[in-house]
Amino acid sequence: MGSPLEREAREALSALERNGARRTILPGSGVDFASNDYLGLRDDPRVIEAAHAALSEYGLGAGAARLLRGDHAPHRALERAFAERQGAEDGLLFPTGFQANYGVLQTLASKDWTIVSDANNHASIIDGCRAAGAQVRVADHNDLSSFAKHIENEKTLVVIESVYSMSGDRAPVQAISDLCKDTGASLIVDEAHALGLLPAEGDAAIRINPCGKAFGGAGAVVTGPHAVLDVLRSRCRTFLFTTALPPMVAAGVLAAMKIADAEPDRAERALANARGIDADAVSCIVPVACRNNEDALSRQGALAERGLDVRAVRPPTVPNAMLRICAHAHHTADEIARLRHALDELAAERVS
């Protein structure tokens, strides 16, 4: 029962259960070009060791929300590390990136505020804008003139992603930051797909740092001024009314962050591998446009048959069907060449 999309989602999850090996999650196996594990840290032995030590000390879960009995040393250590890393006054850890985006916008913007949101922003940002009750204005994607038209005064929140999760393109963060300075508006930047890979740009009032991509874990640390973070601690519903992130995950993310900072060649390799797939890539995400849903699914299947796990993404997630390819630091030159050759072959078949 259910729609074709619902049935396909169930089948995909079943495939994950049947093929649980780290890099073979599609039926028939496949090199992972689908996950967001850009730096290959999710299963790094040092990350696992840090998480295991915290598991032994704190147990499986946090036990409660942070303001009850769910506050543990790894949570605070991760918050401090992010604040120091970004030169911010304070940090606040949320269980997920979705909860961070949604909760920040819902809490900080009210009906007498305006939110200016990029047209390609993540669903968590869109839902947070809707929940805030503020006037929402959607700026054309990465269009400075559109942003300038919508930004009015100091009661404006401007929210963007530094790297967009589907298209992989980068926002003109510095230029948008300058627009905000000129008007007194406040800039919020979601760093999910740049974190650990690219330097933070611009003068953002708040940065939202999801830890489930390049740092291989989960959760998100919001960084910003003490006064703003105190408001979130006391009023943000997605922080207050949920069990805290398991301490072992926070400890693992902290270990991953330290490794990423100590080994910058990981980020360099990941970005170089993306450029090996598409010379114009500016992040680890490489989109490949497809004619329609059937074409995208057909290409996904053809790549799976070649041992390459690339996923089709279709409306309503994106406006037009595409393949979303993610390059990782641990991809070998042979794996990149295999993927590039397979994509060229499939493109040629569709032209002939």
Side-chain angles (χ1 to χ4, degrees), residues 42 71 97 123 169 191-192 197 242 280 285 295 324 335 341:
R42 181 176 64 87
D71 183 48
D169 56 335
E191 300 281 6
L197 294 158
T242 188
D280 295 326
I285 302 165
D295 181 36
R324 180 181 184 268
E335 289 170 341
H341 179 68

Side-chain angles (χ1 to χ4, degrees), residues 31-168:
V31 178
D32 177 10
F33 283 101
S35 79
N36 298 317
D37 187 22
Y38 305 125
L39 298 181
L41 291 171
R42 181 176 64 87
D43 55 3
D44 186 285
R46 294 165 291 181
V47 173
I48 293 172
E49 182 181 1
H52 189 273
L55 172 63
S56 298
E57 182 172 356
Y58 298 100
L60 177 62
R66 290 284 298 280
L67 298 189
L68 294 177
R69 198 182 169 90
D71 183 48
H72 300 282
H75 298 141
R76 298 189 296 277
L78 189 60
E79 290 169 340
R80 287 194 301 271
F82 266 102
E84 291 171 3
R85 193 173 199 267
Q86 297 184 336
E89 292 180 359
D90 203 353
L92 186 64
L93 176 62
F94 285 72
T96 69
F98 198 110
Q99 287 173 295
N101 277 331
Y102 185 99
V104 164
L105 291 166
Q106 182 190 38
T107 305
L108 298 184
S110 55
K111 62 182 180 180
D112 56 340
W113 280 69
T114 297
I115 301 175
V116 180
S117 176
D118 188 278
N120 284 16
N121 273 339
H122 189 266
S124 57
I125 296 174
I126 295 170
D127 287 358
C129 290
R130 292 170 177 166
Q135 180 179 7
V136 179
R137 297 179 177 177
V138 179
D140 295 338
H141 179 53
N142 280 350
D143 186 328
L144 287 176
S145 63
S146 182
F147 275 93
K149 180 175 67 175
H150 293 307
I151 297 173
E152 292 184 341
N153 53 43
E154 67 278 359
K155 281 200 167 186
T156 301
L157 293 179
V158 178
V159 58
I160 60 175
E161 299 180 50
S162 52
V163 170
Y164 286 90
S165 60
M166 292 292 121
S167 55

Side-chain angles (χ1 to χ4, degrees), residues 224-257:
H226 285 305
V228 175
L229 274 290
D230 283 344
V231 169
L232 294 175
R233 284 190 185 91
S234 62
R235 299 183 185 178
C236 182
R237 297 171 70 84
T238 60
F239 171 77
L240 289 167
F241 300 107
T242 188
T243 299
L245 186 75
M248 64 176 179
V249 177
V253 170
L254 184 59
M257 181 193 300

